[in-house]
Amino acid sequence: MSEPGAKDRTIAAHAGNHPHEHQGVVNPPVYRASTVLFPTVQELRERYGRKYEAITYGRDGTQTHRALAEAFTTLEGSERALVLPSGVAAVATALLGSLNPGDHLLMVDTAYEPTREICEGFLRRIGVETTYYDPMLGAGVATLIRPNTKAIYMESPGSLTFEIQDIPAIVAAAKQAGCRTILDNTWATPLFFKPPRFGIDLAVYSASKYIGGHSDLMMGILTFPAALHKTLGKLAHGYLGHASSADDAYAALRGLRTLHARLTQHQATGLALARWLAVQPEVEQVLHPALPGTPGHEFWQRDFSGASGLFGFVLKPVAMERVDAMLNGMKLFGMGYSWGGYESLMIRADLKSSRTAKPWHAVGRTLRISAGLEDPDDLIADLAAGLARLHGN
Ligand SMILES: Cc1ncc(COP(=O)(O)O)c(C=O)c1O
């Protein structure tokens, strides 16, 4: 339930809820199912004719998954969504649904590393060739398009180094050449960037991050125009067999209800930490899309309506043992390969193997912070003690 013209916060709070279809219960209940029964042969035939839209079998999702998809597409302004068991499942479905043997893919050099692994390990094996491009290439991406280029994949900001891409320029080049565009929009979420407004065909999300928000959920969401629903639904659920638990879809939808409040705080805390770090003598550079100096900051200002709490920073050169001492002693920042939860994280980023089009040249160590929901002053005190450990204190 959300009225036409409603603002994002209102949509996030209400879309996909139909309490009076569930005896007044506010949240759409958890419908767990493998078997779905049909009252008559006629209804069975009719519902199977609308498979992937209609509910016909548990693997394709139940009313709980549909409620999440409805809320998400309403918020994003897209037409359809698939709820998948992980963000990687959404990435793989988007790529496999857009490419055939003999096709060529343009992949941003700053893609999330497992996305690169799909290109190198799997797409290559089935005869899809990948060219990696500089995230700052913008309209220049047109020079890399070949007659068999079928898709251009973007991730903005870039994983670990946070470059913001000139998405309108890339989409224009893709449209000119008849290529499909895919965007990993996990960092911004539909609250801070809306792919359909920019003419992007497919948007990929790891809902394990900000959508879930509590570090206890694995889920992916893939959004796209209605015309692709049957083929992508068949690929994801019919061929790849992706199924996700209704309990997880419920948790993702509950996360969506508080996304705006959480992201507002993640943004404020992330900026407070980034600004503090930027003036510390131990820090060479802060990589935060909302701060001037980060490549593509001007595109962030133009295209995004906010920044989430994930950003990077580069230390001035210091022995690795000192960086380890800093990380080992953190009291509030955990070390873990995820982000977007209520708890703060900090991790070292190894960029040697994950850049080929534009090697990463920072002289010092690069780290990544996921700003959680703790008090920013407590987080800064923890960071200050951490920087002191760089000097052996
Ligand atoms: C930008 C980005 N996309 C996709 C994924 C994959 O999501 P999942 O871990 O839910 O498979 C991640 C996970 O870290 C990510 O950071």
Side-chain angles (χ1 to χ4, degrees):
M1 270 197 320
S2 63
E3 297 305 313
K7 297 223 172 22
D8 276 356
R9 246 185 274 198
T10 310
I11 295 172
H14 290 282
N17 274 4
H18 301 281
H20 299 297
E21 291 174 17
H22 306 290
Q23 307 200 19
V25 170
V26 171
N27 294 305
V30 176
Y31 283 91
R32 298 181 57 88
S34 52
T35 310
V36 174
L37 300 177
F38 306 91
T40 61
V41 173
Q42 191 188 339
E43 175 142 354
L44 182 151
R45 285 219 188 92
E46 191 275 319
R47 295 234 308 255
Y48 256 81
R50 294 189 296 114
K51 193 164 161 63
Y52 306 115
E53 301 255 18
I55 289 155
T56 55
Y57 181 54
R59 192 176 58 227
D60 314 331
T62 64
Q63 289 93 324
T64 315
H65 300 82
R66 296 298 189 276
L68 171 61
E70 181 186 330
F72 205 84
T73 51
T74 310
L75 188 60
E76 197 197 41
S78 49
E79 290 177 340
R80 294 288 187 280
L82 290 178
V83 175
L84 299 168
S86 69
V88 163
V91 172
T93 303
L95 290 170
L96 290 177
S98 305
L99 296 156
N100 288 308
D103 288 347
H104 175 240
L105 164 71
L106 285 173
M107 170 61 66
V108 65
D109 203 31
T110 43
Y112 171 58
E113 190 148 9
T115 301
R116 287 181 80 101
E117 285 168 12
I118 294 172
C119 300
E120 293 309 299
F122 187 73
L123 293 183
R124 185 195 291 275
R125 188 151 67 76
I126 62 165
V128 173
E129 194 189 340
T130 302
T131 300
Y132 297 91
Y133 67 92
D134 178 342
M136 301 321 294
L137 197 52
V141 80
T143 61
L144 301 177
I145 296 176
R146 304 177 189 169
N148 64 338
T149 306
K150 290 290 156 51
I152 303 182
Y153 190 104
M154 298 163 277
E155 184 178 324
S156 184
S159 248
L160 304 169
T161 44
F162 298 92
E163 300 86 343
I164 295 284
Q165 297 190 252
D166 186 352
I167 286 178
I170 295 172
V171 170
K175 286 208 185 305
Q176 175 87 18
C179 302
R180 189 176 275 185
T181 47
I182 307 169
L183 170 72
D184 185 328
N185 195 34
T186 303
W187 181 87
T189 83
L191 281 179
F192 290 159
F193 185 87
K194 296 198 188 292
R197 282 196 194 154
F198 290 81
I200 290 162
D201 299 308
L202 273 63
V204 163
Y205 297 85
S206 168
S208 324
K209 308 292 184 284
Y210 286 117
I211 309 298
H214 294 73
S215 306
D216 55 1
L217 175 73
M218 292 304 301
M219 182 145 276
I221 296 179
L222 174 62
T223 61
F224 44 83
L228 297 178
H229 197 177
K230 258 214 152 39
T231 44
L232 290 176
K234 176 92 185 154
L235 171 65
H237 301 304
Y239 298 157
L240 298 175
H242 287 317
S244 55
S245 153
D247 297 275
D248 287 346
Y250 182 94
L253 185 53
R254 187 165 60 180
L256 201 68
R257 301 299 177 215
T258 58
L259 184 64
H260 191 284
R262 286 185 289 110
L263 270 191
T264 302
Q265 188 59 52
H266 286 300
Q267 167 166 248
T269 302
L271 274 167
L273 303 188
R275 289 194 174 115
W276 182 84
L277 281 166
V279 294
Q280 302 311 307
E282 295 83 1
V283 174
E284 178 69 33
Q285 189 189 358
V286 172
L287 309 165
H288 191 303
L291 294 189
T294 300
H297 167 66
E298 66 279 21
F299 305 135
W300 175 81
Q301 277 183 312
R302 184 189 63 190
D303 300 339
F304 288 64
S305 56
S308 60
L310 189 76
F311 68 96
F313 65 102
V314 181
L315 289 170
K316 291 197 173 133
V318 59
M320 186 65 105
E321 307 83 73
R322 300 303 342 141
V323 181
D324 290 353
M326 170 180 168
L327 288 168
N328 286 338
M330 299 310 292
K331 299 274 185 296
L332 294 174
F333 290 84
M335 258 185 289
Y337 281 105
S338 194
W339 46 282
Y342 58 84
E343 83 293 9
S344 290
L345 301 170
M346 179 159 51
I347 196 121
R348 225 169 51 202
D350 180 11
L351 291 151
K352 279 199 199 76
S353 57
S354 58
R355 298 285 190 273
T356 48
K358 194 179 180 193
W360 180 245
H361 283 310
V363 277
R365 312 284 170 194
T366 306
L367 292 106
R368 184 183 75 178
I369 281 183
S370 177
L373 299 177
E374 303 92 336
D375 191 292
D377 291 343
D378 291 341
L379 292 172
I380 286 174
D382 202 19
L383 283 177
L387 292 183
R389 284 192 295 281
L390 290 177
H391 304 287
N393 299 335

Short mmCIF file of all heavy atoms in Angstrom, two decimals, residues 85-89 91 112 115 153 155 159 184 186-187 204-209 217-220 337-339 368, ligand 1:
data_model
loop_
_atom_site.label_atom_id
_atom_site.label_comp_id
_atom_site.label_asym_id
_atom_site.label_seq_id
_atom_site.Cartn_x
_atom_site.Cartn_y
_atom_site.Cartn_z
N PRO A 85 18.91 -16.09 -3.98
CA PRO A 85 19.52 -16.47 -2.69
C PRO A 85 20.77 -15.68 -2.29
O PRO A 85 21.20 -15.79 -1.14
CB PRO A 85 19.85 -17.96 -2.86
CG PRO A 85 19.79 -18.22 -4.31
CD PRO A 85 18.91 -17.20 -4.93
N SER A 86 21.36 -14.92 -3.20
CA SER A 86 22.52 -14.10 -2.82
C SER A 86 22.73 -13.02 -3.88
O SER A 86 22.19 -13.11 -4.99
CB SER A 86 23.80 -14.95 -2.72
OG SER A 86 24.18 -15.38 -4.01
N GLY A 87 23.56 -12.05 -3.54
CA GLY A 87 23.93 -11.03 -4.53
C GLY A 87 24.66 -11.65 -5.71
O GLY A 87 24.45 -11.26 -6.86
N VAL A 88 25.53 -12.61 -5.42
CA VAL A 88 26.26 -13.26 -6.52
C VAL A 88 25.28 -13.98 -7.46
O VAL A 88 25.48 -13.98 -8.68
CB VAL A 88 27.34 -14.22 -5.97
CG1 VAL A 88 27.81 -15.20 -7.02
CG2 VAL A 88 28.54 -13.40 -5.47
N ALA A 89 24.23 -14.57 -6.91
CA ALA A 89 23.22 -15.21 -7.78
C ALA A 89 22.59 -14.16 -8.69
O ALA A 89 22.31 -14.43 -9.87
CB ALA A 89 22.15 -15.90 -6.93
N VAL A 91 24.07 -11.32 -9.72
CA VAL A 91 25.10 -10.94 -10.70
C VAL A 91 25.17 -12.00 -11.81
O VAL A 91 25.14 -11.68 -13.01
CB VAL A 91 26.50 -10.81 -10.01
CG1 VAL A 91 27.60 -10.61 -11.05
CG2 VAL A 91 26.50 -9.67 -9.00
N TYR A 112 33.27 -5.78 -8.10
CA TYR A 112 33.40 -6.69 -6.94
C TYR A 112 34.14 -7.95 -7.41
O TYR A 112 33.81 -8.51 -8.46
CB TYR A 112 31.97 -7.00 -6.48
CG TYR A 112 31.79 -8.06 -5.44
CD1 TYR A 112 32.41 -7.97 -4.20
CD2 TYR A 112 30.96 -9.15 -5.69
CE1 TYR A 112 32.20 -8.93 -3.24
CE2 TYR A 112 30.74 -10.12 -4.73
CZ TYR A 112 31.37 -10.01 -3.50
OH TYR A 112 31.16 -10.97 -2.56
N THR A 115 32.59 -10.96 -9.02
CA THR A 115 31.99 -10.68 -10.34
C THR A 115 33.06 -10.90 -11.42
O THR A 115 32.79 -11.50 -12.47
CB THR A 115 31.45 -9.23 -10.37
OG1 THR A 115 30.47 -9.10 -9.35
CG2 THR A 115 30.83 -8.89 -11.71
N TYR A 153 28.74 -3.65 -18.18
CA TYR A 153 28.46 -3.83 -16.75
C TYR A 153 29.14 -2.72 -15.97
O TYR A 153 30.32 -2.44 -16.17
CB TYR A 153 28.99 -5.20 -16.32
CG TYR A 153 28.59 -5.65 -14.94
CD1 TYR A 153 27.61 -6.63 -14.76
CD2 TYR A 153 29.21 -5.14 -13.81
CE1 TYR A 153 27.25 -7.06 -13.49
CE2 TYR A 153 28.86 -5.57 -12.53
CZ TYR A 153 27.87 -6.53 -12.39
OH TYR A 153 27.52 -6.96 -11.13
N GLU A 155 29.65 -0.80 -11.97
CA GLU A 155 29.47 -0.86 -10.52
C GLU A 155 29.95 0.49 -10.02
O GLU A 155 31.11 0.86 -10.21
CB GLU A 155 30.29 -2.00 -9.91
CG GLU A 155 30.05 -2.15 -8.42
CD GLU A 155 30.81 -3.32 -7.82
OE1 GLU A 155 30.96 -4.36 -8.48
OE2 GLU A 155 31.30 -3.17 -6.69
N SER A 159 34.21 -1.11 -6.36
CA SER A 159 34.55 -1.88 -5.16
C SER A 159 35.90 -1.42 -4.64
O SER A 159 36.86 -1.29 -5.41
CB SER A 159 34.63 -3.37 -5.52
OG SER A 159 33.59 -4.09 -4.94
N ASP A 184 25.59 -2.84 -10.81
CA ASP A 184 25.56 -3.28 -9.42
C ASP A 184 25.33 -2.03 -8.57
O ASP A 184 26.21 -1.17 -8.47
CB ASP A 184 26.88 -3.98 -9.05
CG ASP A 184 26.84 -4.58 -7.65
OD1 ASP A 184 26.16 -4.00 -6.77
OD2 ASP A 184 27.50 -5.61 -7.41
N THR A 186 24.43 -1.96 -5.30
CA THR A 186 24.35 -2.35 -3.90
C THR A 186 24.71 -1.20 -2.96
O THR A 186 24.07 -1.00 -1.93
CB THR A 186 25.29 -3.55 -3.64
OG1 THR A 186 24.92 -4.62 -4.52
CG2 THR A 186 25.18 -4.04 -2.21
N TRP A 187 25.75 -0.43 -3.30
CA TRP A 187 26.24 0.63 -2.40
C TRP A 187 25.18 1.71 -2.17
O TRP A 187 24.95 2.16 -1.05
CB TRP A 187 27.51 1.26 -3.00
CG TRP A 187 28.14 2.35 -2.18
CD1 TRP A 187 29.06 2.18 -1.18
CD2 TRP A 187 27.93 3.76 -2.29
NE1 TRP A 187 29.44 3.41 -0.67
CE2 TRP A 187 28.76 4.41 -1.33
CE3 TRP A 187 27.13 4.56 -3.12
CZ2 TRP A 187 28.81 5.78 -1.18
CZ3 TRP A 187 27.17 5.94 -2.96
CH2 TRP A 187 28.01 6.54 -1.99
N VAL A 204 21.44 -4.90 -10.16
CA VAL A 204 21.80 -6.02 -9.30
C VAL A 204 22.02 -5.50 -7.89
O VAL A 204 22.64 -4.44 -7.72
CB VAL A 204 23.13 -6.62 -9.84
CG1 VAL A 204 23.79 -7.50 -8.81
CG2 VAL A 204 22.92 -7.32 -11.16
N TYR A 205 21.54 -6.24 -6.90
CA TYR A 205 21.74 -5.84 -5.50
C TYR A 205 22.14 -7.04 -4.66
O TYR A 205 21.54 -8.12 -4.79
CB TYR A 205 20.43 -5.30 -4.89
CG TYR A 205 19.94 -4.05 -5.55
CD1 TYR A 205 19.14 -4.11 -6.69
CD2 TYR A 205 20.28 -2.80 -5.04
CE1 TYR A 205 18.69 -2.95 -7.31
CE2 TYR A 205 19.83 -1.63 -5.65
CZ TYR A 205 19.04 -1.72 -6.78
OH TYR A 205 18.60 -0.56 -7.38
N SER A 206 23.10 -6.83 -3.79
CA SER A 206 23.27 -7.77 -2.69
C SER A 206 22.40 -7.23 -1.57
O SER A 206 22.74 -6.22 -0.94
CB SER A 206 24.73 -7.85 -2.24
OG SER A 206 24.77 -8.55 -1.00
N ALA A 207 21.27 -7.90 -1.32
CA ALA A 207 20.40 -7.49 -0.20
C ALA A 207 20.99 -7.95 1.13
O ALA A 207 20.47 -7.61 2.19
CB ALA A 207 19.00 -8.04 -0.40
N SER A 208 22.08 -8.71 1.06
CA SER A 208 22.81 -9.12 2.28
C SER A 208 23.42 -7.91 2.98
O SER A 208 23.82 -8.01 4.14
CB SER A 208 23.94 -10.10 1.94
OG SER A 208 23.59 -10.97 0.89
N LYS A 209 23.51 -6.76 2.27
CA LYS A 209 24.16 -5.58 2.83
C LYS A 209 23.11 -4.67 3.49
O LYS A 209 22.51 -5.06 4.46
CB LYS A 209 24.93 -4.86 1.71
CG LYS A 209 25.88 -5.80 0.95
CD LYS A 209 27.02 -6.26 1.82
CE LYS A 209 28.04 -7.10 1.10
NZ LYS A 209 27.67 -8.48 0.84
N LEU A 217 21.68 -12.04 6.98
CA LEU A 217 20.84 -12.42 5.85
C LEU A 217 21.68 -12.54 4.59
O LEU A 217 22.52 -11.69 4.31
CB LEU A 217 19.79 -11.30 5.63
CG LEU A 217 18.88 -11.45 4.41
CD1 LEU A 217 17.87 -12.55 4.65
CD2 LEU A 217 18.16 -10.13 4.11
N MET A 218 21.44 -13.59 3.81
CA MET A 218 22.01 -13.70 2.46
C MET A 218 20.85 -13.59 1.48
O MET A 218 19.90 -14.39 1.54
CB MET A 218 22.71 -15.05 2.26
CG MET A 218 23.97 -15.25 3.06
SD MET A 218 25.26 -14.00 2.83
CE MET A 218 25.60 -14.11 1.09
N MET A 219 20.93 -12.62 0.59
CA MET A 219 19.85 -12.46 -0.39
C MET A 219 20.30 -11.55 -1.52
O MET A 219 21.12 -10.65 -1.32
CB MET A 219 18.62 -11.87 0.29
CG MET A 219 17.42 -11.70 -0.62
SD MET A 219 15.88 -12.01 0.27
CE MET A 219 15.79 -13.78 0.16
N GLY A 220 19.78 -11.80 -2.72
CA GLY A 220 20.07 -10.95 -3.87
C GLY A 220 18.77 -10.51 -4.52
O GLY A 220 17.74 -11.21 -4.41
N TYR A 337 34.34 -9.84 5.83
CA TYR A 337 34.16 -9.55 4.40
C TYR A 337 32.72 -9.24 4.08
O TYR A 337 32.10 -9.94 3.28
CB TYR A 337 34.67 -10.72 3.56
CG TYR A 337 36.17 -10.69 3.44
CD1 TYR A 337 36.96 -11.57 4.15
CD2 TYR A 337 36.78 -9.73 2.65
CE1 TYR A 337 38.34 -11.53 4.05
CE2 TYR A 337 38.17 -9.67 2.56
CZ TYR A 337 38.94 -10.57 3.25
OH TYR A 337 40.29 -10.51 3.16
N SER A 338 32.15 -8.29 4.71
CA SER A 338 30.83 -7.84 4.30
C SER A 338 30.71 -6.38 4.68
O SER A 338 31.70 -5.73 5.02
CB SER A 338 29.73 -8.68 4.93
OG SER A 338 28.51 -8.43 4.26
N TRP A 339 29.51 -5.85 4.66
CA TRP A 339 29.29 -4.44 5.01
C TRP A 339 27.79 -4.19 5.02
O TRP A 339 27.01 -5.06 4.65
CB TRP A 339 30.00 -3.50 4.04
CG TRP A 339 29.86 -3.79 2.57
CD1 TRP A 339 30.54 -4.74 1.87
CD2 TRP A 339 29.03 -3.13 1.61
NE1 TRP A 339 30.19 -4.70 0.54
CE2 TRP A 339 29.26 -3.72 0.35
CE3 TRP A 339 28.11 -2.08 1.70
CZ2 TRP A 339 28.60 -3.31 -0.82
CZ3 TRP A 339 27.47 -1.67 0.54
CH2 TRP A 339 27.72 -2.29 -0.70
N ARG A 368 39.25 -0.36 4.05
CA ARG A 368 37.84 -0.04 3.80
C ARG A 368 37.08 -0.04 5.12
O ARG A 368 37.27 -0.94 5.95
CB ARG A 368 37.23 -1.09 2.86
CG ARG A 368 35.80 -0.75 2.48
CD ARG A 368 35.19 -1.82 1.62
NE ARG A 368 34.85 -3.01 2.40
CZ ARG A 368 34.26 -4.09 1.89
NH1 ARG A 368 33.98 -4.14 0.61
NH2 ARG A 368 33.97 -5.12 2.66
C1 LIG B 1 29.14 -4.72 -4.55
C2 LIG B 1 28.74 -6.13 -4.24
N1 LIG B 1 27.97 -6.79 -5.11
C3 LIG B 1 27.58 -8.06 -4.89
C4 LIG B 1 27.99 -8.73 -3.75
C5 LIG B 1 27.60 -10.15 -3.57
O1 LIG B 1 26.59 -10.28 -2.65
P1 LIG B 1 26.33 -11.60 -1.76
O2 LIG B 1 27.45 -11.66 -0.77
O3 LIG B 1 25.00 -11.34 -1.19
O4 LIG B 1 26.36 -12.77 -2.69
C6 LIG B 1 28.77 -8.07 -2.80
C7 LIG B 1 29.18 -8.75 -1.56
O5 LIG B 1 30.04 -8.30 -0.85
C8 LIG B 1 29.18 -6.74 -3.06
O6 LIG B 1 29.97 -6.07 -2.21
#
